[in-house]
Amino acid sequence: MKIVSVNVGLPRPVVFEGRPVVTGIYKSPVHGRIKVCKLNIEGDAQADLSVHGGPNKAVYAYPGEHYEFWRGEFPNLEMGWGMFGENLTIEGLLEDDAHIGDCFRMGTTVLMVTQPRLPCYKLGIRFERNDMPERFLSSRRTGFYLAVVEEGELGEGDAVEPIHQDSNRISVDDILRLLYDHEPQAPQLFEKALNAGALSPSWRKRLMKRLRESKA
C-alpha cells in the first residue's frame, strides 16, 4: 500500500447555476515532503467549515484503483490525480479493507480512518454533472476521511503502513451498506458500528436514525 499522489488546493470562486460559489474541491498534485497538521495538509483548505474539514475530516483519501472505473464512465473527461478532491490518492487500500478506527503510518504522520465521504453538490461542479454526487455515492467508491493522530510529513511514494486495527472491524463499506442498502441489515452490525469509537458524531447520528427506522 502506498501514496500515489498528494493533492492540495485553496478555495476558489466559481459560477454554479448562475450564482457565485466558493469551493475547495479543486486539488492538484504537489511533490516533495508536505506537512500534515491536526486540521489540514500544508497548502490545502476547505471553503465551508460547517460541513467540511475539522478534526474528523482533516485528510481525505481516495483509492487510485477507482479511477479506472470512472474513466470508463466518462471516457471524454480528463482525470488527473485529485479529481475527486482527495488530498491523498492511495493504492492498495479500498473501502472494504479500511476499518473505522484503523491507524496507518504514512511518512512520519499517523492517520486514523473515521468515516466515508458523503459528497455534496460541489462534486457535481467539479465534474460539470449535477447527477455526480448521486452516482458517486451509489457506486460505493467514496474513499474515506482520516483524522491526524500524529502530525508530521508525508509525500508521494510513501508506504501506507497499518499500525493499529480497530477491534470492531467495521469497514467503510459496512457503514455505507448500513445506511444506504435497501435490504435490512443485522442489528448486530449496527451495534458493532456504533461501538466504533472513532466513528464521527455525524455518522453516528445517521446510523442511530437508520436503526430506529429499521425497527419501526
Side-chain angles (χ1 to χ4, degrees), residues 4-24:
V4 177
S5 180
V6 180
N7 316 295
V8 301
L10 298 176
R12 66 169 71 170
V14 297
V15 176
F16 175 66
E17 295 184 343
R19 60 187 178 90
V21 173
V22 178
T23 176

Side-chain angles (χ1 to χ4, degrees), residues 154-210:
L154 50 71
E156 60 181 315
D158 282 352
V160 176
E161 177 189 359
I163 60 173
H164 169 76
Q165 289 187 340
D166 187 82
S167 59
N168 285 284
R169 309 309 290 151
I170 290 292
S171 71
V172 170
D173 191 64
D174 287 332
I175 299 294
L176 293 168
R177 184 153 45 88
L178 285 171
L179 284 171
Y180 299 112
D181 264 13
H182 297 299
E183 297 297 324
Q185 301 296 317
Q188 294 87 347
L189 191 59
F190 277 101
E191 183 178 352
K192 285 183 68 176
L194 291 169
N195 285 335
L199 185 66
S200 67
S202 61
W203 279 85
R204 193 176 300 277
K205 289 179 182 178
R206 291 187 182 98
L207 280 180
M208 293 177 69
K209 180 181 178 182
R210 183 65 187 270

Side-chain angles (χ1 to χ4, degrees), residues 136-148:
F136 182 81
L137 189 57
S138 64
S139 77
R140 296 282 183 79
R141 296 168 172 87
T142 66
F144 41 88
Y145 282 107
L146 301 155
V148 179

